[in-house]
Amino acid sequence: MTFGHFCVIILHMGRLAQKKQEKKDKLLRSAFSLFKEKGIENTSISEIAHGAGVAKGTFYLYFKDKYALYEVLVARCANDILVQAMKPFTKDKASEPKTDKEWVISVMDRILEIMENDHSMLEFVSKNLSWGLFRSALYSPTESDIVDFRGIFSSLITEDGLLKYKDPELMIYMIIELVSSTCYSVILESSPADLSCLKPHLNAAISSIIDSFYIEDVSKRPKSAAAGL
Amino acid sequence: MTFGHFCVIILHMGRLAQKKQEKKDKLLRSAFSLFKEKGIENTSISEIAHGAGVAKGTFYLYFKDKYALYEVLVARCANDILVQAMKPFTKDKASEPKTDKEWVISVMDRILEIMENDHSMLEFVSKNLSWGLFRSALYSPTESDIVDFRGIFSSLITEDGLLKYKDPELMIYMIIELVSSTCYSVILESSPADLSCLKPHLNAAISSIIDSFYIEDVSKRPKSAAAGL
Amino acid sequence: MTFGHFCVIILHMGRLAQKKQEKKDKLLRSAFSLFKEKGIENTSISEIAHGAGVAKGTFYLYFKDKYALYEVLVARCANDILVQAMKPFTKDKASEPKTDKEWVISVMDRILEIMENDHSMLEFVSKNLSWGLFRSALYSPTESDIVDFRGIFSSLITEDGLLKYKDPELMIYMIIELVSSTCYSVILESSPADLSCLKPHLNAAISSIIDSFYIEDVSKRPKSAAAGL
Amino acid sequence: MTFGHFCVIILHMGRLAQKKQEKKDKLLRSAFSLFKEKGIENTSISEIAHGAGVAKGTFYLYFKDKYALYEVLVARCANDILVQAMKPFTKDKASEPKTDKEWVISVMDRILEIMENDHSMLEFVSKNLSWGLFRSALYSPTESDIVDFRGIFSSLITEDGLLKYKDPELMIYMIIELVSSTCYSVILESSPADLSCLKPHLNAAISSIIDSFYIEDVSKRPKSAAAGL
DNA sequence: TATGAATGAGTCTTCATTCAT
DNA sequence: AATGAATGAAGACTCATTCAT
């Protein structure tokens, strides 16, 4: 379980507020584990509360219902993955890949790596149909992010204030969908092939997708309005 | 609702058997509509029965539970789509595309077309996490098929008894996942782009995926054991 | 299964009537087997019909409901056992025991023997709380009986038109209850002892019960009105 | 209804715990009354809850299902009867009967008396085929018992550490079965005789059963291992 | 006669939600 | 804030009984 990261360091919080946060985290952790195992519809609030070691009634002090909790969970989860996947490239500029392609491929590579090391995350996300929400998290990051997604993407797709790619959002969308839809059974069941078999083909496909969006003729590049995202 | 195709023409059937089949179809249709609207977990058997205009108990004369019905539904649905998508190429040999790429792309194109003309199918499939089952239907077609999937695939990936592609199953898997995961929000919400915008990029990606699996050196091609699927 | 005896030889019966009787027997046999296995309350009419190889609706052509069938079953069952238990003493007078005690004990012995050879009868009778009905069958035999219980008992308890026992009905009642309540777990589970261990004590008890009812002083014996039963 | 005894005096119990106990008792009482009237199979949980004045769901807070409740009921019932039947002999040693026979007969007498004064207990026990469980309660008393059955029986069947009876368990079994099977219709329907008519014969039979197990030759008595029960 | 499809009342069971403590 | 007892609505499933064929 990788919910360690959920427990953001809490500074300058009253004892009480801290205790409340801890209880909320317990509920989130318990729900995460149950949702990934049985899906949201087959998990009862009773079970979540029991798993968190609190009474049923207490649940309602923190969340309206399980769907409200679920949204928090997905947002945290998505953010967590993205932060982890991109962190290396924000600290040490030297380690960054040179080209856009290399950058995208290595981010996707890290995501696959994270998933492989933490099946629970993958199971949760797939058992709960939450790729959609996950995607939305990419476009509208929560306030608590350490990584500046918008800035990073913006700098990725522009050059000298001009867009290098025709429809960058669609491009990202295609890449994310390809990687995410593809990885589930490959990672969890090694079917229809190993992740190591898939990767070269995946990288080639990503590369080709990026190519197909690239505007070679610099003079035809449109101006970037708010970085396109 | 496109369940017209489900109602296979019934010849030489007793009046009773025919009525039973009709009732079963009514239940399937009702469930299909509810599942795609609310998902299987949020649909009750009462609702299905009511939608079909029969009593609750009648449901159990035809299906063990809603999951049994669901499987029939997915199988029919998947088969329906594939049959429709491939039918053109079996009748009139002249209209067939020349290369493998062209063939795959035009099949995928037809699937997208079908989905666009019939959102309910797409909604059902995505609301119910059933791409997996859908995929399995591709590999193990039911006896009622008109189209010989295995034969078609077999002839697609081999040449003179030799495999033209490294891992044809993985190749097909990647293509299907790319197309299916990508099309949902594009067709239903035109987001992040129109289907017409997506298609050229999709075709390019498919083309590149096929390329990345192609074995150019004929002498290195392995013998096709049971056509590889 | 000892239901062979149920199928009384049918003479001078029309083909149709015969077929009907056969179907009825099938239903009885099926119900017998199910009742003894699961009890009457947990057996459905569907199951009975299925076990008899007829349609559900057919059941209602022969019995009002399962309780009506049940009564027929108990009557037949009880009669069957009693007929079997007493038959030896009606054919060959020479083989009969001399004293009343010996006679009763050897009848009870035969009943235990029957039960031991045919657990299904015992299971049926005990699973269905039917000792009471069984007992009543003793006192009001059905018309189809071959054995004349009343006559036998009458001759057992009287001598020269005088009653030898104070309250013969109560005497028989006590003996039957003792034997039947005692034999169930002994025969089916050998608990708390074997049948062979129980028998001597049982016989002693029966003997003592008969003694306690015996009217020694002949002059005090009342006249037997309709043999007391 | 004799459930008064069930409501053990509750000391030092929280208000809540007390209320819960009361509700449980209400459910037990309601079920007791319904079971004895219609048998367990024909009693629904709805009815039990309604009879107890609580909602259907509340039932499940106290018992897994009606069979779980039933077991509690039988255990309490059996214990209740035995405790009542034996209590007189534990308080005042002087009032105790002298011989084993007298003791057993007077205990059985008290049980019959209890049953006669409280038909509901008898109806419940017989409607529900629970003599077996009743008997088992005799051999494995619950912790809450006031009377030490094992101790009493042990001292009954031994003398100077030697067993006075051949197979004491079987002896007790025969006596209990005789009394219990015999008393039902006699008490409830005075059929085939009054309880007052039955008693002398019953006592004679018990006496004779004990005799038939008695080991007269002291030198042949086996050593009592754990009192034989 | 025989069938078995259809019914819908009835049963068990779960669970979100409320509320007194 | 926290609890967990209580509720009753809702869902799954069964089954005796009817009835058209």
Side-chain angles (χ1 to χ4, degrees):
Chain A
M1 240 282 275
T2 58
F3 248 67
H5 354 282
F6 280 21
C7 303
V8 181
I9 296 144
I10 299 152
L11 301 166
H12 300 299
M13 240 188 203
R15 265 288 175 84
L16 200 79
Q18 195 173 335
K19 267 199 168 180
K20 282 189 66 176
Q21 189 56 45
E22 271 166 24
K23 216 158 258 186
K24 199 168 185 173
D25 276 343
K26 269 190 197 167
L27 283 165
L28 284 164
R29 263 193 292 275
S30 169
F32 177 75
S33 161
L34 289 160
F35 287 170
K36 83 167 188 254
E37 194 186 327
K38 324 194 296 174
I40 185 168
E41 296 301 347
N42 296 312
T43 298
S44 74
I45 284 167
S46 234
E47 288 172 302
I48 298 171
H50 180 259
V54 300
K56 218 186 324 182
T58 307
F59 178 95
Y60 292 93
L61 299 176
Y62 294 92
F63 301 99
K64 193 185 143 284
D65 53 30
K66 65 181 171 184
Y67 301 99
L69 182 154
Y70 176 72
E71 276 176 36
V72 174
L73 214 45
V74 170
R76 285 198 181 193
C77 197
N79 187 66
D80 215 50
I81 291 171
L82 292 178
V83 166
Q84 272 195 84
M86 296 190 181
K87 206 174 279 174
F89 311 120
T90 55
K91 285 178 184 163
D92 179 10
K93 291 280 171 182
S95 72
E96 278 191 40
K98 290 299 177 307
T99 68
D100 291 349
K101 276 186 190 178
E102 282 168 10
W103 191 88
V104 170
I105 286 171
S106 77
V107 167
M108 289 300 152
D109 225 67
R110 276 194 62 81
I111 289 178
L112 290 176
E113 208 178 292
I114 291 165
M115 294 297 193
E116 206 176 15
N117 290 331
D118 179 13
H119 289 185
S120 68
M121 198 71 94
L122 182 55
E123 273 163 15
F124 168 74
V125 151
S126 77
K127 255 284 183 7
N128 291 284
L129 261 182
S130 41
W131 288 120
L133 288 171
F134 182 70
R135 200 187 319 128
S136 81
L138 178 70
Y139 295 127
S140 53
T142 57
E143 72 291 340
S144 66
D145 296 336
I146 297 159
V147 179
D148 173 22
F149 299 125
R150 298 184 69 90
I152 291 172
F153 276 112
S154 177
S155 69
L156 171 70
I157 60 180
T158 59
E159 200 170 47
D160 305 328
L162 299 177
L163 273 176
K164 287 184 285 182
Y165 301 98
K166 268 178 244 163
D167 189 344
E169 208 179 339
L170 181 59
M171 183 178 78
I172 297 294
Y173 172 77
M174 280 184 70
I175 293 168
I176 290 179
E177 291 297 335
L178 174 61
V179 173
S180 62
S181 71
T182 266
C183 74
Y184 179 70
S185 75
V186 164
I187 288 177
L188 294 184
E189 306 156 26
S190 290
S191 152
D194 278 350
L195 185 54
S196 59
C197 296
L198 175 67
K199 266 188 183 174
H201 298 291
L202 217 45
N203 293 346
I206 291 170
S207 175
S208 127
I209 289 171
I210 293 176
D211 282 342
S212 83
F213 280 89
Y214 192 67
I215 306 171
E216 295 198 37
D217 188 340
V218 178
S219 68
K220 289 186 176 168
R221 288 182 181 169
K223 228 185 276 180
S224 157
L229 277 185
Chain B
M1 243 280 275
T2 60
F3 250 66
H5 357 281
F6 281 20
C7 305
V8 182
I9 296 143
I10 300 152
L11 300 167
H12 297 299
M13 233 187 207
R15 265 281 180 85
L16 200 79
Q18 195 173 335
K19 268 198 168 179
K20 281 188 69 177
Q21 190 55 48
E22 272 166 24
K23 208 152 267 185
K24 197 168 188 175
D25 276 343
K26 267 190 198 169
L27 283 165
L28 283 164
R29 264 194 290 275
S30 169
F32 178 76
S33 160
L34 288 160
F35 287 172
K36 83 170 188 247
E37 195 186 326
K38 324 196 295 173
I40 186 168
E41 296 299 347
N42 296 311
T43 298
S44 76
I45 281 163
S46 264
E47 288 172 304
I48 297 171
H50 180 259
V54 300
K56 214 186 332 177
T58 306
F59 177 93
Y60 294 94
L61 296 177
Y62 293 91
F63 302 99
K64 196 186 140 284
D65 53 31
K66 63 181 170 182
Y67 302 100
L69 183 154
Y70 176 72
E71 274 175 37
V72 174
L73 217 44
V74 170
R76 283 197 182 193
C77 202
N79 189 65
D80 218 49
I81 291 171
L82 291 177
V83 166
Q84 273 194 81
M86 295 191 181
K87 206 173 280 175
F89 311 120
T90 54
K91 286 178 185 164
D92 179 12
K93 291 280 170 182
S95 72
E96 278 191 38
K98 292 298 179 305
T99 68
D100 292 350
K101 276 187 189 176
E102 282 168 10
W103 192 88
V104 170
I105 286 171
S106 78
V107 167
M108 290 300 154
D109 224 66
R110 275 193 63 81
I111 289 178
L112 290 176
E113 207 178 293
I114 291 164
M115 294 297 195
E116 205 175 16
N117 290 331
D118 178 12
H119 289 186
S120 67
M121 198 72 96
L122 182 56
E123 274 162 14
F124 168 73
V125 151
S126 77
K127 252 283 183 1
N128 292 286
L129 259 183
S130 41
W131 287 120
L133 288 172
F134 181 71
R135 199 187 319 130
S136 82
L138 178 70
Y139 295 126
S140 53
T142 57
E143 72 292 339
S144 64
D145 297 337
I146 299 159
V147 179
D148 173 22
F149 299 124
R150 297 185 69 91
I152 291 172
F153 276 111
S154 177
S155 68
L156 171 69
I157 60 180
T158 60
E159 201 170 48
D160 304 328
L162 300 176
L163 274 176
K164 285 184 287 183
Y165 301 98
K166 268 177 246 164
D167 189 345
E169 210 180 337
L170 181 58
M171 181 178 80
I172 296 295
Y173 171 76
M174 282 184 71
I175 293 169
I176 290 179
E177 291 298 334
L178 174 61
V179 173
S180 63
S181 70
T182 267
C183 74
Y184 180 69
S185 74
V186 165
I187 288 178
L188 295 184
E189 305 157 25
S190 289
S191 152
D194 277 350
L195 183 56
S196 58
C197 295
L198 175 66
K199 266 189 183 174
H201 298 291
L202 217 43
N203 293 347
I206 292 170
S207 174
S208 126
I209 289 172
I210 293 175
D211 282 340
S212 81
F213 280 90
Y214 192 68
I215 306 170
E216 296 197 36
D217 189 340
V218 177
S219 67
K220 290 185 177 167
R221 288 182 183 171
K223 228 185 272 180
S224 156
L229 277 185
Chain C
M1 241 283 273
T2 60
F3 250 67
H5 354 281
F6 279 22
C7 304
V8 181
I9 296 144
I10 300 151
L11 299 166
H12 300 299
M13 240 186 202
R15 266 286 174 82
L16 200 79
Q18 195 172 335
K19 268 199 167 179
K20 281 189 68 176
Q21 190 55 47
E22 272 167 24
K23 218 158 257 186
K24 200 168 186 174
D25 276 343
K26 269 189 197 169
L27 284 165
L28 284 163
R29 264 194 291 274
S30 168
F32 177 75
S33 161
L34 288 160
F35 287 171
K36 83 169 187 251
E37 194 186 328
K38 325 195 295 175
I40 186 168
E41 297 301 345
N42 296 311
T43 298
S44 73
I45 284 168
S46 233
E47 288 171 303
I48 297 171
H50 180 259
V54 300
K56 218 188 319 185
T58 306
F59 178 95
Y60 292 92
L61 299 175
Y62 295 91
F63 302 99
K64 194 186 141 285
D65 53 30
K66 64 181 171 184
Y67 301 100
L69 182 154
Y70 177 73
E71 277 175 35
V72 174
L73 215 44
V74 170
R76 285 197 181 195
C77 198
N79 188 65
D80 215 50
I81 291 170
L82 292 178
V83 166
Q84 272 195 84
M86 297 191 181
K87 205 173 280 175
F89 311 120
T90 55
K91 286 177 184 164
D92 180 10
K93 291 279 169 183
S95 72
E96 276 191 41
K98 292 295 178 308
T99 68
D100 292 349
K101 274 187 191 177
E102 281 169 11
W103 190 88
V104 170
I105 286 172
S106 78
V107 168
M108 290 299 153
D109 225 66
R110 275 194 63 81
I111 289 179
L112 290 177
E113 207 177 293
I114 292 164
M115 294 297 193
E116 206 175 16
N117 291 330
D118 180 11
H119 288 187
S120 68
M121 198 71 95
L122 182 54
E123 274 163 16
F124 169 73
V125 151
S126 78
K127 256 282 185 9
N128 292 283
L129 260 182
S130 41
W131 288 118
L133 288 171
F134 182 72
R135 199 187 320 128
S136 81
L138 179 70
Y139 296 127
S140 53
T142 57
E143 72 292 337
S144 66
D145 296 337
I146 298 159
V147 179
D148 173 23
F149 299 125
R150 297 183 69 90
I152 292 172
F153 277 111
S154 178
S155 69
L156 170 70
I157 60 180
T158 61
E159 202 169 46
D160 304 329
L162 300 177
L163 274 176
K164 287 183 285 183
Y165 302 98
K166 269 179 244 162
D167 189 344
E169 207 178 340
L170 181 58
M171 181 179 80
I172 296 294
Y173 171 77
M174 280 184 70
I175 293 169
I176 289 179
E177 292 297 335
L178 173 62
V179 174
S180 63
S181 71
T182 266
C183 74
Y184 179 71
S185 74
V186 165
I187 288 178
L188 295 185
E189 306 157 26
S190 289
S191 152
D194 277 351
L195 185 54
S196 59
C197 297
L198 176 66
K199 267 187 183 174
H201 298 290
L202 216 44
N203 293 345
I206 291 170
S207 175
S208 126
I209 289 171
I210 292 175
D211 282 341
S212 82
F213 281 90
Y214 193 68
I215 305 170
E216 295 197 39
D217 189 340
V218 177
S219 68
K220 289 187 177 168
R221 288 183 182 170
K223 228 187 274 176
S224 157
L229 278 184
Chain D
M1 243 281 275
T2 60
F3 248 67
H5 358 280
F6 282 20
C7 304
V8 181
I9 296 144
I10 299 152
L11 299 167
H12 297 300
M13 232 187 207
R15 266 280 181 88
L16 198 79
Q18 195 173 334
K19 269 198 167 180
K20 282 187 68 176
Q21 191 55 46
E22 273 166 24
K23 208 153 269 186
K24 197 169 186 173
D25 276 344
K26 269 190 197 170
L27 283 165
L28 283 164
R29 264 193 291 274
S30 169
F32 178 76
S33 159
L34 288 160
F35 287 170
K36 83 170 188 250
E37 195 186 325
K38 324 196 296 173
I40 186 167
E41 296 300 348
N42 295 311
T43 298
S44 74
I45 282 163
S46 262
E47 287 172 304
I48 298 171
H50 181 258
V54 301
K56 213 182 336 177
T58 307
F59 178 94
Y60 293 94
L61 296 177
Y62 293 91
F63 302 100
K64 195 186 141 286
D65 52 31
K66 62 182 171 183
Y67 302 100
L69 183 154
Y70 177 72
E71 275 175 37
V72 174
L73 217 44
V74 170
R76 283 197 182 193
C77 202
N79 189 66
D80 218 49
I81 292 171
L82 292 178
V83 167
Q84 273 195 83
M86 297 191 180
K87 206 173 279 173
F89 311 120
T90 54
K91 286 177 185 162
D92 179 11
K93 290 279 169 183
S95 72
E96 279 191 38
K98 292 297 177 308
T99 68
D100 292 349
K101 276 187 189 176
E102 282 169 10
W103 190 89
V104 170
I105 286 172
S106 77
V107 167
M108 289 300 153
D109 223 66
R110 275 194 62 81
I111 289 179
L112 290 176
E113 207 179 293
I114 291 165
M115 293 297 192
E116 206 176 16
N117 291 331
D118 178 11
H119 288 186
S120 68
M121 197 72 95
L122 182 55
E123 274 163 15
F124 168 73
V125 151
S126 77
K127 253 287 186 358
N128 291 286
L129 261 181
S130 41
W131 288 118
L133 288 171
F134 182 70
R135 199 185 321 127
S136 82
L138 179 70
Y139 294 127
S140 52
T142 57
E143 72 291 341
S144 64
D145 297 336
I146 298 160
V147 179
D148 172 23
F149 300 125
R150 296 185 69 91
I152 291 173
F153 276 111
S154 179
S155 68
L156 170 69
I157 60 179
T158 61
E159 201 170 47
D160 304 328
L162 300 176
L163 273 176
K164 286 184 287 182
Y165 302 99
K166 268 177 245 164
D167 189 343
E169 208 179 339
L170 181 59
M171 182 178 79
I172 296 294
Y173 171 77
M174 281 184 71
I175 294 169
I176 289 179
E177 291 298 334
L178 173 62
V179 173
S180 63
S181 71
T182 266
C183 74
Y184 179 71
S185 74
V186 164
I187 289 178
L188 294 184
E189 306 157 25
S190 289
S191 153
D194 278 351
L195 184 55
S196 58
C197 296
L198 175 65
K199 267 189 184 174
H201 298 291
L202 218 42
N203 293 347
I206 292 171
S207 174
S208 126
I209 288 172
I210 293 175
D211 282 341
S212 81
F213 280 90
Y214 191 69
I215 306 170
E216 296 198 36
D217 188 341
V218 178
S219 68
K220 289 187 178 168
R221 289 183 182 169
K223 228 186 272 178
S224 157
L229 277 186

